[in-house]
Amino acid sequence: MIRDFITHAAHRWYVYLPLTAIWIFALVRLLADPVPHLPVLFNVSPSLPFWIVRIDYHPTTLRRGDYIVYRFEGNACRYFPGLWHQPFLKRIAGLEGDHVTVSGRQVFVNGALLGYAKPYAVTKLPLAPIAPSVIPADHFYVAGTSPDSFDSRYALSGLVAKSQIVGLATPVY
């Protein structure tokens, strides 16, 4: 009986793979308070090139290029009230004292292009780029690798405060 089901599922993997992903996503959301205190986290978005990360909940230092898990507290919470429950996983691209500049809709940190701020979200919500500034103490500019990533290039997302950071993420797979 089990062998029959495995054969059935192997032939219809295209049905069972998305269902399994949905169940895993639901489990992660269920355990979130607001971020699950598990040793691993599953990345279900295309904003970073890996699916599973190990989390160090007590990082001593954070550097440019580190991946972090943080609680979302940006202005977008007023448009998406449940968003603060979602743990965000991004790469640190800007540190205290770095200069954020915007030319048109292109966003730069210390002169390095980090991305193009799209005019609209997938939901048709208008998006404005982050305002030019110097990153203040205990704040970080975070970025994803996807052009569709909702990261610090948008005013609604903004910079991430050190108090929002849950842990340092190390890619596993």
PDB file of all heavy atoms in Angstrom, residues 51-88:
ATOM      1  N   TRP A  51      17.207  27.920  -0.107  1.00  0.00           N
ATOM      2  CA  TRP A  51      15.905  27.557   0.460  1.00  0.00           C
ATOM      3  C   TRP A  51      15.928  27.345   1.964  1.00  0.00           C
ATOM      4  O   TRP A  51      14.924  27.515   2.632  1.00  0.00           O
ATOM      5  CB  TRP A  51      15.387  26.289  -0.214  1.00  0.00           C
ATOM      6  CG  TRP A  51      15.143  26.502  -1.669  1.00  0.00           C
ATOM      7  CD1 TRP A  51      15.989  26.191  -2.703  1.00  0.00           C
ATOM      8  CD2 TRP A  51      14.012  27.108  -2.270  1.00  0.00           C
ATOM      9  NE1 TRP A  51      15.446  26.559  -3.906  1.00  0.00           N
ATOM     10  CE2 TRP A  51      14.226  27.128  -3.676  1.00  0.00           C
ATOM     11  CE3 TRP A  51      12.834  27.639  -1.774  1.00  0.00           C
ATOM     12  CZ2 TRP A  51      13.302  27.656  -4.563  1.00  0.00           C
ATOM     13  CZ3 TRP A  51      11.917  28.162  -2.668  1.00  0.00           C
ATOM     14  CH2 TRP A  51      12.158  28.157  -4.045  1.00  0.00           C
ATOM     15  N   ILE A  52      17.056  26.911   2.510  1.00  0.00           N
ATOM     16  CA  ILE A  52      17.130  26.591   3.932  1.00  0.00           C
ATOM     17  C   ILE A  52      18.322  27.311   4.546  1.00  0.00           C
ATOM     18  O   ILE A  52      19.416  27.310   3.979  1.00  0.00           O
ATOM     19  CB  ILE A  52      17.273  25.067   4.151  1.00  0.00           C
ATOM     20  CG1 ILE A  52      16.094  24.327   3.513  1.00  0.00           C
ATOM     21  CG2 ILE A  52      17.371  24.735   5.635  1.00  0.00           C
ATOM     22  CD1 ILE A  52      16.257  22.817   3.508  1.00  0.00           C
ATOM     23  N   VAL A  53      18.108  27.940   5.704  1.00  0.00           N
ATOM     24  CA  VAL A  53      19.198  28.602   6.421  1.00  0.00           C
ATOM     25  C   VAL A  53      19.219  28.136   7.876  1.00  0.00           C
ATOM     26  O   VAL A  53      18.189  27.786   8.440  1.00  0.00           O
ATOM     27  CB  VAL A  53      19.073  30.141   6.380  1.00  0.00           C
ATOM     28  CG1 VAL A  53      19.229  30.672   4.978  1.00  0.00           C
ATOM     29  CG2 VAL A  53      17.794  30.624   7.012  1.00  0.00           C
ATOM     30  N   ARG A  54      20.413  28.124   8.426  1.00  0.00           N
ATOM     31  CA  ARG A  54      20.604  27.864   9.860  1.00  0.00           C
ATOM     32  C   ARG A  54      20.669  29.232  10.538  1.00  0.00           C
ATOM     33  O   ARG A  54      21.266  30.165  10.007  1.00  0.00           O
ATOM     34  CB  ARG A  54      21.900  27.092  10.089  1.00  0.00           C
ATOM     35  CG  ARG A  54      22.141  26.696  11.539  1.00  0.00           C
ATOM     36  CD  ARG A  54      23.409  25.871  11.690  1.00  0.00           C
ATOM     37  NE  ARG A  54      24.570  26.439  11.046  1.00  0.00           N
ATOM     38  CZ  ARG A  54      25.322  27.411  11.544  1.00  0.00           C
ATOM     39  NH1 ARG A  54      25.017  27.945  12.705  1.00  0.00           N
ATOM     40  NH2 ARG A  54      26.377  27.861  10.881  1.00  0.00           N
ATOM     41  N   ILE A  55      20.054  29.375  11.697  1.00  0.00           N
ATOM     42  CA  ILE A  55      19.974  30.674  12.361  1.00  0.00           C
ATOM     43  C   ILE A  55      20.790  30.669  13.652  1.00  0.00           C
ATOM     44  O   ILE A  55      20.642  29.793  14.490  1.00  0.00           O
ATOM     45  CB  ILE A  55      18.520  31.045  12.685  1.00  0.00           C
ATOM     46  CG1 ILE A  55      17.694  31.063  11.405  1.00  0.00           C
ATOM     47  CG2 ILE A  55      18.450  32.392  13.383  1.00  0.00           C
ATOM     48  CD1 ILE A  55      16.220  31.248  11.646  1.00  0.00           C
ATOM     49  N   ASP A  56      21.640  31.694  13.798  1.00  0.00           N
ATOM     50  CA  ASP A  56      22.350  31.962  15.046  1.00  0.00           C
ATOM     51  C   ASP A  56      21.593  33.114  15.703  1.00  0.00           C
ATOM     52  O   ASP A  56      21.626  34.244  15.209  1.00  0.00           O
ATOM     53  CB  ASP A  56      23.804  32.352  14.749  1.00  0.00           C
ATOM     54  CG  ASP A  56      24.553  32.808  15.995  1.00  0.00           C
ATOM     55  OD1 ASP A  56      24.025  32.638  17.113  1.00  0.00           O
ATOM     56  OD2 ASP A  56      25.664  33.349  15.836  1.00  0.00           O
ATOM     57  N   TYR A  57      20.901  32.826  16.799  1.00  0.00           N
ATOM     58  CA  TYR A  57      20.040  33.825  17.429  1.00  0.00           C
ATOM     59  C   TYR A  57      20.804  34.848  18.264  1.00  0.00           C
ATOM     60  O   TYR A  57      20.225  35.812  18.739  1.00  0.00           O
ATOM     61  CB  TYR A  57      18.978  33.150  18.299  1.00  0.00           C
ATOM     62  CG  TYR A  57      17.896  32.504  17.475  1.00  0.00           C
ATOM     63  CD1 TYR A  57      17.911  31.147  17.208  1.00  0.00           C
ATOM     64  CD2 TYR A  57      16.878  33.266  16.936  1.00  0.00           C
ATOM     65  CE1 TYR A  57      16.922  30.569  16.435  1.00  0.00           C
ATOM     66  CE2 TYR A  57      15.885  32.699  16.153  1.00  0.00           C
ATOM     67  CZ  TYR A  57      15.919  31.347  15.917  1.00  0.00           C
ATOM     68  OH  TYR A  57      14.941  30.785  15.149  1.00  0.00           O
ATOM     69  N   HIS A  58      22.094  34.654  18.455  1.00  0.00           N
ATOM     70  CA  HIS A  58      22.875  35.584  19.266  1.00  0.00           C
ATOM     71  C   HIS A  58      24.153  35.975  18.546  1.00  0.00           C
ATOM     72  O   HIS A  58      25.257  35.677  19.009  1.00  0.00           O
ATOM     73  CB  HIS A  58      23.186  34.952  20.626  1.00  0.00           C
ATOM     74  CG  HIS A  58      21.971  34.502  21.365  1.00  0.00           C
ATOM     75  ND1 HIS A  58      21.084  35.387  21.944  1.00  0.00           N
ATOM     76  CD2 HIS A  58      21.454  33.273  21.580  1.00  0.00           C
ATOM     77  CE1 HIS A  58      20.096  34.707  22.495  1.00  0.00           C
ATOM     78  NE2 HIS A  58      20.285  33.426  22.289  1.00  0.00           N
ATOM     79  N   PRO A  59      24.030  36.666  17.393  1.00  0.00           N
ATOM     80  CA  PRO A  59      25.248  37.056  16.677  1.00  0.00           C
ATOM     81  C   PRO A  59      26.006  38.132  17.454  1.00  0.00           C
ATOM     82  O   PRO A  59      25.400  38.992  18.092  1.00  0.00           O
ATOM     83  CB  PRO A  59      24.724  37.597  15.359  1.00  0.00           C
ATOM     84  CG  PRO A  59      23.345  38.065  15.659  1.00  0.00           C
ATOM     85  CD  PRO A  59      22.826  37.148  16.727  1.00  0.00           C
ATOM     86  N   THR A  60      27.322  38.049  17.410  1.00  0.00           N
ATOM     87  CA  THR A  60      28.126  39.048  18.113  1.00  0.00           C
ATOM     88  C   THR A  60      28.381  40.266  17.245  1.00  0.00           C
ATOM     89  O   THR A  60      28.351  41.386  17.732  1.00  0.00           O
ATOM     90  CB  THR A  60      29.470  38.437  18.569  1.00  0.00           C
ATOM     91  OG1 THR A  60      30.117  37.864  17.431  1.00  0.00           O
ATOM     92  CG2 THR A  60      29.241  37.364  19.621  1.00  0.00           C
ATOM     93  N   THR A  61      28.630  40.060  15.965  1.00  0.00           N
ATOM     94  CA  THR A  61      28.847  41.182  15.053  1.00  0.00           C
ATOM     95  C   THR A  61      28.093  40.925  13.756  1.00  0.00           C
ATOM     96  O   THR A  61      27.866  39.781  13.376  1.00  0.00           O
ATOM     97  CB  THR A  61      30.343  41.363  14.716  1.00  0.00           C
ATOM     98  OG1 THR A  61      30.825  40.166  14.110  1.00  0.00           O
ATOM     99  CG2 THR A  61      31.156  41.684  15.951  1.00  0.00           C
ATOM    100  N   LEU A  62      27.728  42.000  13.101  1.00  0.00           N
ATOM    101  CA  LEU A  62      27.068  41.914  11.795  1.00  0.00           C
ATOM    102  C   LEU A  62      27.904  42.722  10.806  1.00  0.00           C
ATOM    103  O   LEU A  62      28.288  43.851  11.094  1.00  0.00           O
ATOM    104  CB  LEU A  62      25.650  42.462  11.868  1.00  0.00           C
ATOM    105  CG  LEU A  62      24.684  41.670  12.755  1.00  0.00           C
ATOM    106  CD1 LEU A  62      23.378  42.417  12.932  1.00  0.00           C
ATOM    107  CD2 LEU A  62      24.429  40.301  12.157  1.00  0.00           C
ATOM    108  N   ARG A  63      28.174  42.110   9.638  1.00  0.00           N
ATOM    109  CA  ARG A  63      29.014  42.748   8.625  1.00  0.00           C
ATOM    110  C   ARG A  63      28.270  42.808   7.296  1.00  0.00           C
ATOM    111  O   ARG A  63      27.318  42.067   7.072  1.00  0.00           O
ATOM    112  CB  ARG A  63      30.309  41.953   8.459  1.00  0.00           C
ATOM    113  CG  ARG A  63      31.157  41.901   9.711  1.00  0.00           C
ATOM    114  CD  ARG A  63      32.429  41.090   9.490  1.00  0.00           C
ATOM    115  NE  ARG A  63      32.187  39.737   9.039  1.00  0.00           N
ATOM    116  CZ  ARG A  63      32.024  38.677   9.824  1.00  0.00           C
ATOM    117  NH1 ARG A  63      32.079  38.825  11.117  1.00  0.00           N
ATOM    118  NH2 ARG A  63      31.817  37.494   9.330  1.00  0.00           N
ATOM    119  N   ARG A  64      28.781  43.660   6.414  1.00  0.00           N
ATOM    120  CA  ARG A  64      28.250  43.745   5.064  1.00  0.00           C
ATOM    121  C   ARG A  64      28.380  42.366   4.413  1.00  0.00           C
ATOM    122  O   ARG A  64      29.407  41.716   4.514  1.00  0.00           O
ATOM    123  CB  ARG A  64      29.034  44.780   4.267  1.00  0.00           C
ATOM    124  CG  ARG A  64      28.441  45.115   2.925  1.00  0.00           C
ATOM    125  CD  ARG A  64      29.306  46.116   2.147  1.00  0.00           C
ATOM    126  NE  ARG A  64      29.937  47.137   2.956  1.00  0.00           N
ATOM    127  CZ  ARG A  64      29.365  48.297   3.304  1.00  0.00           C
ATOM    128  NH1 ARG A  64      28.145  48.570   2.907  1.00  0.00           N
ATOM    129  NH2 ARG A  64      30.016  49.171   4.037  1.00  0.00           N
ATOM    130  N   GLY A  65      27.321  41.916   3.758  1.00  0.00           N
ATOM    131  CA  GLY A  65      27.317  40.610   3.108  1.00  0.00           C
ATOM    132  C   GLY A  65      26.707  39.509   3.960  1.00  0.00           C
ATOM    133  O   GLY A  65      26.368  38.451   3.446  1.00  0.00           O
ATOM    134  N   ASP A  66      26.548  39.745   5.272  1.00  0.00           N
ATOM    135  CA  ASP A  66      25.897  38.753   6.137  1.00  0.00           C
ATOM    136  C   ASP A  66      24.415  38.669   5.792  1.00  0.00           C
ATOM    137  O   ASP A  66      23.788  39.661   5.414  1.00  0.00           O
ATOM    138  CB  ASP A  66      26.018  39.139   7.615  1.00  0.00           C
ATOM    139  CG  ASP A  66      27.390  38.898   8.202  1.00  0.00           C
ATOM    140  OD1 ASP A  66      28.205  38.198   7.561  1.00  0.00           O
ATOM    141  OD2 ASP A  66      27.649  39.434   9.302  1.00  0.00           O
ATOM    142  N   TYR A  67      23.844  37.477   5.950  1.00  0.00           N
ATOM    143  CA  TYR A  67      22.409  37.272   5.790  1.00  0.00           C
ATOM    144  C   TYR A  67      21.779  37.322   7.168  1.00  0.00           C
ATOM    145  O   TYR A  67      22.296  36.738   8.116  1.00  0.00           O
ATOM    146  CB  TYR A  67      22.114  35.927   5.131  1.00  0.00           C
ATOM    147  CG  TYR A  67      22.592  35.861   3.701  1.00  0.00           C
ATOM    148  CD1 TYR A  67      23.796  35.240   3.372  1.00  0.00           C
ATOM    149  CD2 TYR A  67      21.856  36.435   2.676  1.00  0.00           C
ATOM    150  CE1 TYR A  67      24.236  35.188   2.068  1.00  0.00           C
ATOM    151  CE2 TYR A  67      22.296  36.389   1.368  1.00  0.00           C
ATOM    152  CZ  TYR A  67      23.487  35.763   1.073  1.00  0.00           C
ATOM    153  OH  TYR A  67      23.918  35.730  -0.219  1.00  0.00           O
ATOM    154  N   ILE A  68      20.653  38.025   7.273  1.00  0.00           N
ATOM    155  CA  ILE A  68      19.972  38.151   8.559  1.00  0.00           C
ATOM    156  C   ILE A  68      18.502  37.783   8.423  1.00  0.00           C
ATOM    157  O   ILE A  68      17.926  37.862   7.350  1.00  0.00           O
ATOM    158  CB  ILE A  68      20.082  39.578   9.141  1.00  0.00           C
ATOM    159  CG1 ILE A  68      19.492  40.614   8.181  1.00  0.00           C
ATOM    160  CG2 ILE A  68      21.519  39.905   9.526  1.00  0.00           C
ATOM    161  CD1 ILE A  68      19.308  42.002   8.781  1.00  0.00           C
ATOM    162  N   VAL A  69      17.921  37.377   9.537  1.00  0.00           N
ATOM    163  CA  VAL A  69      16.475  37.177   9.657  1.00  0.00           C
ATOM    164  C   VAL A  69      15.999  38.298  10.574  1.00  0.00           C
ATOM    165  O   VAL A  69      16.585  38.542  11.624  1.00  0.00           O
ATOM    166  CB  VAL A  69      16.144  35.803  10.272  1.00  0.00           C
ATOM    167  CG1 VAL A  69      14.651  35.663  10.504  1.00  0.00           C
ATOM    168  CG2 VAL A  69      16.671  34.693   9.399  1.00  0.00           C
ATOM    169  N   TYR A  70      14.940  39.002  10.137  1.00  0.00           N
ATOM    170  CA  TYR A  70      14.453  40.104  10.959  1.00  0.00           C
ATOM    171  C   TYR A  70      12.934  40.180  10.918  1.00  0.00           C
ATOM    172  O   TYR A  70      12.290  39.658  10.032  1.00  0.00           O
ATOM    173  CB  TYR A  70      15.066  41.443  10.515  1.00  0.00           C
ATOM    174  CG  TYR A  70      14.712  41.899   9.131  1.00  0.00           C
ATOM    175  CD1 TYR A  70      13.678  42.809   8.923  1.00  0.00           C
ATOM    176  CD2 TYR A  70      15.402  41.445   8.012  1.00  0.00           C
ATOM    177  CE1 TYR A  70      13.350  43.241   7.648  1.00  0.00           C
ATOM    178  CE2 TYR A  70      15.083  41.876   6.741  1.00  0.00           C
ATOM    179  CZ  TYR A  70      14.055  42.770   6.564  1.00  0.00           C
ATOM    180  OH  TYR A  70      13.728  43.198   5.304  1.00  0.00           O
ATOM    181  N   ARG A  71      12.397  40.845  11.949  1.00  0.00           N
ATOM    182  CA  ARG A  71      10.954  41.105  12.035  1.00  0.00           C
ATOM    183  C   ARG A  71      10.666  42.350  11.219  1.00  0.00           C
ATOM    184  O   ARG A  71      11.300  43.388  11.407  1.00  0.00           O
ATOM    185  CB  ARG A  71      10.531  41.350  13.486  1.00  0.00           C
ATOM    186  CG  ARG A  71      10.534  40.125  14.339  1.00  0.00           C
ATOM    187  CD  ARG A  71      10.050  40.446  15.747  1.00  0.00           C
ATOM    188  NE  ARG A  71      10.872  41.441  16.418  1.00  0.00           N
ATOM    189  CZ  ARG A  71      12.009  41.175  17.055  1.00  0.00           C
ATOM    190  NH1 ARG A  71      12.442  39.946  17.114  1.00  0.00           N
ATOM    191  NH2 ARG A  71      12.682  42.132  17.641  1.00  0.00           N
ATOM    192  N   PHE A  72       9.704  42.269  10.341  1.00  0.00           N
ATOM    193  CA  PHE A  72       9.370  43.414   9.503  1.00  0.00           C
ATOM    194  C   PHE A  72       8.570  44.417  10.306  1.00  0.00           C
ATOM    195  O   PHE A  72       7.553  44.069  10.900  1.00  0.00           O
ATOM    196  CB  PHE A  72       8.590  42.966   8.265  1.00  0.00           C
ATOM    197  CG  PHE A  72       8.350  44.096   7.315  1.00  0.00           C
ATOM    198  CD1 PHE A  72       9.351  44.488   6.446  1.00  0.00           C
ATOM    199  CD2 PHE A  72       7.161  44.780   7.323  1.00  0.00           C
ATOM    200  CE1 PHE A  72       9.152  45.553   5.576  1.00  0.00           C
ATOM    201  CE2 PHE A  72       6.944  45.835   6.462  1.00  0.00           C
ATOM    202  CZ  PHE A  72       7.950  46.226   5.585  1.00  0.00           C
ATOM    203  N   GLU A  73       9.029  45.660  10.324  1.00  0.00           N
ATOM    204  CA  GLU A  73       8.315  46.728  11.023  1.00  0.00           C
ATOM    205  C   GLU A  73       8.215  47.975  10.169  1.00  0.00           C
ATOM    206  O   GLU A  73       8.039  49.068  10.671  1.00  0.00           O
ATOM    207  CB  GLU A  73       9.016  47.053  12.350  1.00  0.00           C
ATOM    208  CG  GLU A  73       8.991  45.907  13.335  1.00  0.00           C
ATOM    209  CD  GLU A  73       9.771  46.202  14.600  1.00  0.00           C
ATOM    210  OE1 GLU A  73      10.305  47.311  14.755  1.00  0.00           O
ATOM    211  OE2 GLU A  73       9.856  45.290  15.444  1.00  0.00           O
ATOM    212  N   GLY A  74       8.334  47.818   8.861  1.00  0.00           N
ATOM    213  CA  GLY A  74       8.304  48.961   7.957  1.00  0.00           C
ATOM    214  C   GLY A  74       6.926  49.585   7.841  1.00  0.00           C
ATOM    215  O   GLY A  74       5.935  49.077   8.370  1.00  0.00           O
ATOM    216  N   ASN A  75       6.861  50.705   7.126  1.00  0.00           N
ATOM    217  CA  ASN A  75       5.597  51.420   6.933  1.00  0.00           C
ATOM    218  C   ASN A  75       4.562  50.593   6.181  1.00  0.00           C
ATOM    219  O   ASN A  75       3.377  50.885   6.230  1.00  0.00           O
ATOM    220  CB  ASN A  75       5.848  52.729   6.176  1.00  0.00           C
ATOM    221  CG  ASN A  75       6.601  53.729   7.020  1.00  0.00           C
ATOM    222  OD1 ASN A  75       6.488  53.718   8.239  1.00  0.00           O
ATOM    223  ND2 ASN A  75       7.393  54.569   6.382  1.00  0.00           N
ATOM    224  N   ALA A  76       4.992  49.564   5.467  1.00  0.00           N
ATOM    225  CA  ALA A  76       4.059  48.742   4.690  1.00  0.00           C
ATOM    226  C   ALA A  76       3.094  47.977   5.591  1.00  0.00           C
ATOM    227  O   ALA A  76       2.086  47.469   5.111  1.00  0.00           O
ATOM    228  CB  ALA A  76       4.815  47.776   3.799  1.00  0.00           C
ATOM    229  N   CYS A  77       3.363  47.896   6.886  1.00  0.00           N
ATOM    230  CA  CYS A  77       2.460  47.180   7.799  1.00  0.00           C
ATOM    231  C   CYS A  77       1.057  47.786   7.780  1.00  0.00           C
ATOM    232  O   CYS A  77       0.083  47.085   8.013  1.00  0.00           O
ATOM    233  CB  CYS A  77       3.011  47.173   9.214  1.00  0.00           C
ATOM    234  SG  CYS A  77       4.413  46.073   9.422  1.00  0.00           S
ATOM    235  N   ARG A  78       0.948  49.069   7.467  1.00  0.00           N
ATOM    236  CA  ARG A  78      -0.397  49.668   7.407  1.00  0.00           C
ATOM    237  C   ARG A  78      -1.168  49.198   6.172  1.00  0.00           C
ATOM    238  O   ARG A  78      -2.382  49.227   6.136  1.00  0.00           O
ATOM    239  CB  ARG A  78      -0.332  51.176   7.466  1.00  0.00           C
ATOM    240  CG  ARG A  78       0.363  51.804   6.306  1.00  0.00           C
ATOM    241  CD  ARG A  78       0.561  53.277   6.504  1.00  0.00           C
ATOM    242  NE  ARG A  78       1.646  53.675   5.629  1.00  0.00           N
ATOM    243  CZ  ARG A  78       1.840  54.889   5.203  1.00  0.00           C
ATOM    244  NH1 ARG A  78       1.044  55.843   5.606  1.00  0.00           N
ATOM    245  NH2 ARG A  78       2.824  55.159   4.422  1.00  0.00           N
ATOM    246  N   TYR A  79      -0.463  48.763   5.120  1.00  0.00           N
ATOM    247  CA  TYR A  79      -1.118  48.238   3.915  1.00  0.00           C
ATOM    248  C   TYR A  79      -1.326  46.726   4.009  1.00  0.00           C
ATOM    249  O   TYR A  79      -2.252  46.192   3.450  1.00  0.00           O
ATOM    250  CB  TYR A  79      -0.279  48.544   2.670  1.00  0.00           C
ATOM    251  CG  TYR A  79      -0.143  50.012   2.406  1.00  0.00           C
ATOM    252  CD1 TYR A  79       1.032  50.671   2.715  1.00  0.00           C
ATOM    253  CD2 TYR A  79      -1.200  50.744   1.858  1.00  0.00           C
ATOM    254  CE1 TYR A  79       1.162  52.028   2.485  1.00  0.00           C
ATOM    255  CE2 TYR A  79      -1.075  52.095   1.628  1.00  0.00           C
ATOM    256  CZ  TYR A  79       0.102  52.742   1.949  1.00  0.00           C
ATOM    257  OH  TYR A  79       0.227  54.078   1.728  1.00  0.00           O
ATOM    258  N   PHE A  80      -0.428  46.063   4.694  1.00  0.00           N
ATOM    259  CA  PHE A  80      -0.492  44.613   4.862  1.00  0.00           C
ATOM    260  C   PHE A  80      -0.388  44.304   6.353  1.00  0.00           C
ATOM    261  O   PHE A  80       0.690  44.028   6.858  1.00  0.00           O
ATOM    262  CB  PHE A  80       0.661  43.933   4.115  1.00  0.00           C
ATOM    263  CG  PHE A  80       0.759  44.330   2.671  1.00  0.00           C
ATOM    264  CD1 PHE A  80       1.753  45.195   2.252  1.00  0.00           C
ATOM    265  CD2 PHE A  80      -0.138  43.853   1.733  1.00  0.00           C
ATOM    266  CE1 PHE A  80       1.858  45.574   0.927  1.00  0.00           C
ATOM    267  CE2 PHE A  80      -0.041  44.215   0.411  1.00  0.00           C
ATOM    268  CZ  PHE A  80       0.956  45.084  -0.003  1.00  0.00           C
ATOM    269  N   PRO A  81      -1.506  44.360   7.101  1.00  0.00           N
ATOM    270  CA  PRO A  81      -1.457  44.242   8.558  1.00  0.00           C
ATOM    271  C   PRO A  81      -0.788  42.972   9.088  1.00  0.00           C
ATOM    272  O   PRO A  81      -0.189  42.993  10.140  1.00  0.00           O
ATOM    273  CB  PRO A  81      -2.932  44.292   8.971  1.00  0.00           C
ATOM    274  CG  PRO A  81      -3.634  44.924   7.823  1.00  0.00           C
ATOM    275  CD  PRO A  81      -2.854  44.580   6.605  1.00  0.00           C
ATOM    276  N   GLY A  82      -0.861  41.866   8.380  1.00  0.00           N
ATOM    277  CA  GLY A  82      -0.262  40.627   8.857  1.00  0.00           C
ATOM    278  C   GLY A  82       1.204  40.482   8.511  1.00  0.00           C
ATOM    279  O   GLY A  82       1.831  39.490   8.868  1.00  0.00           O
ATOM    280  N   LEU A  83       1.782  41.474   7.840  1.00  0.00           N
ATOM    281  CA  LEU A  83       3.153  41.364   7.355  1.00  0.00           C
ATOM    282  C   LEU A  83       4.160  41.227   8.481  1.00  0.00           C
ATOM    283  O   LEU A  83       5.179  40.566   8.329  1.00  0.00           O
ATOM    284  CB  LEU A  83       3.482  42.587   6.485  1.00  0.00           C
ATOM    285  CG  LEU A  83       4.716  42.508   5.618  1.00  0.00           C
ATOM    286  CD1 LEU A  83       4.605  41.344   4.641  1.00  0.00           C
ATOM    287  CD2 LEU A  83       4.900  43.803   4.843  1.00  0.00           C
ATOM    288  N   TRP A  84       3.899  41.819   9.648  1.00  0.00           N
ATOM    289  CA  TRP A  84       4.874  41.762  10.734  1.00  0.00           C
ATOM    290  C   TRP A  84       5.064  40.340  11.251  1.00  0.00           C
ATOM    291  O   TRP A  84       6.054  40.051  11.893  1.00  0.00           O
ATOM    292  CB  TRP A  84       4.493  42.708  11.856  1.00  0.00           C
ATOM    293  CG  TRP A  84       3.260  42.324  12.588  1.00  0.00           C
ATOM    294  CD1 TRP A  84       1.986  42.651  12.272  1.00  0.00           C
ATOM    295  CD2 TRP A  84       3.188  41.527  13.765  1.00  0.00           C
ATOM    296  NE1 TRP A  84       1.112  42.102  13.166  1.00  0.00           N
ATOM    297  CE2 TRP A  84       1.828  41.409  14.094  1.00  0.00           C
ATOM    298  CE3 TRP A  84       4.123  40.902  14.561  1.00  0.00           C
ATOM    299  CZ2 TRP A  84       1.394  40.694  15.190  1.00  0.00           C
ATOM    300  CZ3 TRP A  84       3.693  40.188  15.660  1.00  0.00           C
ATOM    301  CH2 TRP A  84       2.338  40.087  15.967  1.00  0.00           C
ATOM    302  N   HIS A  85       4.132  39.434  10.952  1.00  0.00           N
ATOM    303  CA  HIS A  85       4.298  38.035  11.357  1.00  0.00           C
ATOM    304  C   HIS A  85       5.320  37.311  10.490  1.00  0.00           C
ATOM    305  O   HIS A  85       5.824  36.266  10.867  1.00  0.00           O
ATOM    306  CB  HIS A  85       2.971  37.276  11.257  1.00  0.00           C
ATOM    307  CG  HIS A  85       2.056  37.553  12.391  1.00  0.00           C
ATOM    308  ND1 HIS A  85       2.306  37.129  13.664  1.00  0.00           N
ATOM    309  CD2 HIS A  85       0.885  38.229  12.443  1.00  0.00           C
ATOM    310  CE1 HIS A  85       1.337  37.508  14.455  1.00  0.00           C
ATOM    311  NE2 HIS A  85       0.452  38.184  13.748  1.00  0.00           N
ATOM    312  N   GLN A  86       5.578  37.841   9.324  1.00  0.00           N
ATOM    313  CA  GLN A  86       6.449  37.174   8.364  1.00  0.00           C
ATOM    314  C   GLN A  86       7.917  37.488   8.669  1.00  0.00           C
ATOM    315  O   GLN A  86       8.314  38.636   8.652  1.00  0.00           O
ATOM    316  CB  GLN A  86       6.109  37.646   6.950  1.00  0.00           C
ATOM    317  CG  GLN A  86       6.989  37.055   5.886  1.00  0.00           C
ATOM    318  CD  GLN A  86       6.813  35.563   5.772  1.00  0.00           C
ATOM    319  OE1 GLN A  86       5.703  35.071   5.803  1.00  0.00           O
ATOM    320  NE2 GLN A  86       7.900  34.862   5.645  1.00  0.00           N
ATOM    321  N   PRO A  87       8.724  36.465   8.947  1.00  0.00           N
ATOM    322  CA  PRO A  87      10.160  36.734   9.096  1.00  0.00           C
ATOM    323  C   PRO A  87      10.758  37.040   7.730  1.00  0.00           C
ATOM    324  O   PRO A  87      10.432  36.392   6.742  1.00  0.00           O
ATOM    325  CB  PRO A  87      10.715  35.429   9.674  1.00  0.00           C
ATOM    326  CG  PRO A  87       9.739  34.383   9.269  1.00  0.00           C
ATOM    327  CD  PRO A  87       8.400  35.064   9.171  1.00  0.00           C
ATOM    328  N   PHE A  88      11.575  38.057   7.657  1.00  0.00           N
ATOM    329  CA  PHE A  88      12.234  38.436   6.413  1.00  0.00           C
ATOM    330  C   PHE A  88      13.681  37.970   6.456  1.00  0.00           C
ATOM    331  O   PHE A  88      14.328  38.017   7.499  1.00  0.00           O
ATOM    332  CB  PHE A  88      12.188  39.954   6.222  1.00  0.00           C
ATOM    333  CG  PHE A  88      10.964  40.443   5.518  1.00  0.00           C
ATOM    334  CD1 PHE A  88       9.698  40.052   5.908  1.00  0.00           C
ATOM    335  CD2 PHE A  88      11.072  41.317   4.462  1.00  0.00           C
ATOM    336  CE1 PHE A  88       8.571  40.510   5.255  1.00  0.00           C
ATOM    337  CE2 PHE A  88       9.948  41.788   3.803  1.00  0.00           C
ATOM    338  CZ  PHE A  88       8.694  41.383   4.199  1.00  0.00           C
TER     339      PHE A  88
END
